[in-house]
Amino acid sequence: MHDRSLAPMPRTSLLGFLVLGLAGSGFLGGCDNPTCVFVDGCRNGAGGGGNDPGGLGTATATFPEEGAFLAAGPPRLVAVGPGPSVSDALHPESPLFFEFSESLDPSTLEGAFRIVDLATFQPIPTLPPELVGDGRVAVLVPNANAAFLPGRRYQVIYGEEPAVRDLNGQALDGVTEEPLIEFGVLDPMDVPTPVVVYTFPNDFSTNASGSSEFIVGFDRPMNAATFNGDTFDVTVDGQPPVVDPAPAPITVGPGGVGGTATQVWRWTPLDGNGRPISVGSDVQVVVRLSSGAGQILAEDGSALPVTESQYQTLDVGLPLAVTKSPGAGAPDGFGRADVFGGAPIVEVTLAEPAPGGIVADAFLFGNSPNNPELLRSIVSTVDVPTGATSLQLTANDLGLFDGAGLVQFADGDFECAVQLRRNAFPTGVRRFDGDRTTPEIERPFFDTVAPVLLGLGATGADTSMLVSDVRDFAAVGRASEPIEFAFVDSGPLGTNGGSLDDPPATAFTTSIPGTDESLFIAAPVPLGALDPSAGGASYSVTVFDRAGNAAELTAVGTFTQRGVLGPGGAPTNSTVTVRVYDERTLAPISGALVFSHAETGGAVTFVGQAQTDATGTAQVPGASAGDTLITADANGFDLFTFHGVPRDQIDVLVSPVGGGLLATVEGTISSTFPTANFSGDNTIVADTRAPRLSLVSQVAPCSADPTTVTYRCDYGPATIVPSQLGASTFFATQDSIAQTSFSPAGYLRGFAQRGPLAPVGPGGMALGVDLDAGDLLLLAPLANQPLPTPPVVLDIGGLANLGTLEGSPFVTIEGVAAGLAGPLVVGRGNPYDLAQSTWTVLGAIAGPAGPAGELVTRGAIDPDLFVRARLVDTDGNQVAARPRASSGSAQIAPIDVPRFLVPGPGGSTGGDAYNIQIEDTLPDSVGGDGLVRVVVTGPDSRRWILWGLDTSDAAGPLLLSVPEIASQGGMPLADGAQTAEVRLWGAPIDRGQFLWSDLEREHEVFGRAAPVTFTQD
């Protein structure tokens, strides 16, 4: 048996032991300092590379983490632990440490080291190496089931292939099969006292980075309960550090599934965003173990003697920030103006005025222009002026051009990481951050190719004309790549914000599957509802990619709205201009018959008729007294009548007979495995194009997908309205959450949004409309975490026409979306039954829909959201309350069901011209104006769509008239059984000028009666 002294370790440098342990190995090459590799390793410009002659390494590089150590030269092994003083007397469970000159690519460590029993020459299994110490220290921990055997000697051999690489893609500078360390193992009874076998930074070292984490290795598993601020005491120049985290054992195995290894502990100061923080420049850090009121114990119960380690930090700190220079282009990208403009594009902010004699190393990572699949890196070094507090770096300073003047990177992901250095001693790198206002580091991108505006409209086929049936002007188009900004200028009518030099973000943009192209909706120009007779609004549209590159061509043309009622004068004794359009395509319909009738006291008389021209326009006389009725009868389309048109011009939107074929959509929701399992939640997809009565599609139960290592949940096929642009949202909610336990993150667990979605033709199916829900919102970046909605009480007391409910109220939070006819669902509400027909509704919206959220700041949705509570009874009647959040209402109440009164259900009309009466359930107290719609469907599926204005409560039932048109050449509905459905909206619209789409977008109450039947004879 070997004998080992139990006396405390002498106060000599542990690093000295480590270097001696490598004597003659050939790895150090004469260095007596583990950082000597930096002396000749940093240089201006790019290094060599066989497969990529402009990059530092021949293999693909790896994006660095904050605080990583980078060098231009290849990595070197500079130290091994334990050192000679203990390596011949190790505990069987001691870990081994391999310290390198710079941070390594962790994916290259598997199989890098082999441990061989020198008695049997058999390999000894260990857990996969774990990287600690800013990625510079590889730790080998004995497998718990295969510890080293007492009395044996072992040797660690570098792997058969030199696979270990640094983050630049450079291979370890060494010889294969090189012995790295030989050690002997004692019986645990002969090593009764735990010993510190390794520290990083090394004991008594100088010029260590102030942001480095402290690593301490013990020769056996330790008792985690005995580690605290007293037993693990850190001081900085004799004072407690500003940030003093609790020490933690490392995790081992892929993803930490191997558990913790209590032989190795790390002390890692981080700021509030989880980034490395410096303990200070030119300060002495002392770590005293077992130094307080208690002792650190091993798992075997033995006590660690008082042990101290100390090191001195470098006199310059990690840069405070690396960002775009003031006045440069997009803050999170590098575009053509940045690369070729010659002005400073990167600002490095220093933590303190620079001491003399230091330099800055700027490492750039991006796609190789020779091989886009290869991530390459280059480095440039610039002097830092004494006293400087920041650096401004140009493209030339950064080495963005090679010797031939060509750009060194292809477009794509990019990274700029800057470290300061005094001679051989670096600070570690600070990564570029495209948005310092958020906790997460936003990696920049590189883009020197300007986008191409392929065309306007959903198909990109339009050039000089854009048409919409939605309020305001949200330009739609296609581009050769994703679009970040779109500046729309409508001359004297205004812009969509900003200017060509500072354009607004695009409201919606998404890639088109199978192509590099994108579909976008620009932030809207607030035109409201245009006068159709005024010729539309002129426009110019300029698009920009994420790097701020503008398309060379600007689209110029005229924007018009279709589906506008008004403006103008009263129709009485006037000529009414009528424009008839296909509701789906908005194309004008020529040859349609347009009739005008007068209604007074329930009596309807013919006034005049005309036929639409090639523009879909006709003019007919208005009534001389009473209400004017306008009717459109187009071959192959449903009939349309507006009873009581308020103005002398109206756009009529008609549907193909029977409403035409609907479309369908289906896709998959994916979420992160294993932290975003929504299988126990209520999961839905809402589509702005869904028929309003369905709104959402249920999602199939989620299950793990071993192929993609994600959770997958399928939805659809779901019905949507064809020929419309759309956007969809996914929600996972925990509806069973108790009211007393309600929290936004506990209730709204998952969210995803995608749009715009290209229109689907009648009868068509859109496949693969997939959404990525990512992680639980609780784990998501702060900007995406759910926000609460003010609690409200839903009260349906007094709704005499609403029967027994078929379920609880269904509550959604909705926003008016740019360029889309249907509302975008951005949150959910959970109703808690208070009995007596009332519920307390607690809800949450997704963070992007909040006041400072991306959907609002990009102009995708109006920030004043709606809270919509829908109730359906067992007969199919439906009512909804939908107040705006800005109303501040603590109590909301829907209107009653608007019952069909005349003709009586089961009765007859007495001819093809008759009056319809609807119970007026929209009280004047609700405020705003309302519209009622009755859809009568004949036996051949042709429909007659009748519209009317809500009247005052004192006026009695709402009257709609089916006029006689056969005698004037019209084609009424066929005689026989008729089915009628009533819908009533209350919305704050201007009766003198509105769009038909305003009803769905802006209504605040809604009622729908279940269909009734009667006979037309």
Side-chain angles (χ1 to χ4, degrees), residues 812-814 816 865-868 882-884 1001-1003:
T812 53
I813 319 299
E814 304 173 353
V816 173
L865 304 176
F866 294 90
V867 180
R868 182 175 186 267
R882 191 177 178 256
R884 283 191 181 268
R1001 286 159 58 92
E1002 300 187 17
H1003 74 272

Side-chain angles (χ1 to χ4, degrees), residues 8 49-50 57 176 185 190 195 233 292 338 413 491 497 534 629 663-664 693 763 951 962 977:
T176 61
V185 178
D190 294 326
V195 173
D233 179 56
D338 296 316
D413 286 339
L629 281 67
T664 54
L693 296 184
T951 57
V962 177

Side-chain angles (χ1 to χ4, degrees), residues 2-9 85-86 89-95 186-197 217-223 289-290 295-307:
H2 294 279
D3 184 284
R4 184 171 73 166
S5 171
L6 303 184
M9 295 178 62
S85 63
V86 290
L90 282 186
H91 188 280
E93 295 180 89
S94 177
L186 296 182
D187 188 287
M189 298 299 294
D190 294 326
V191 282
T193 305
V195 173
V196 172
V197 295
F218 302 91
D219 69 346
R220 67 196 69 196
M222 306 300 287
N223 184 343
L289 306 175
S290 287
Q295 287 183 302
I296 291 178
L297 303 180
E299 287 186 357
D300 59 18
S302 57
L304 177 74
V306 176
T307 304

Side-chain angles (χ1 to χ4, degrees), residues 95-119:
L96 305 174
F97 300 85
F98 302 89
E99 184 178 327
F100 295 85
S101 57
E102 57 178 305
S103 302
L104 301 179
D105 176 355
S107 68
T108 65
L109 286 180
E110 186 173 356
F113 307 100
R114 291 185 298 136
I115 303 178
V116 177
D117 185 333
L118 293 180

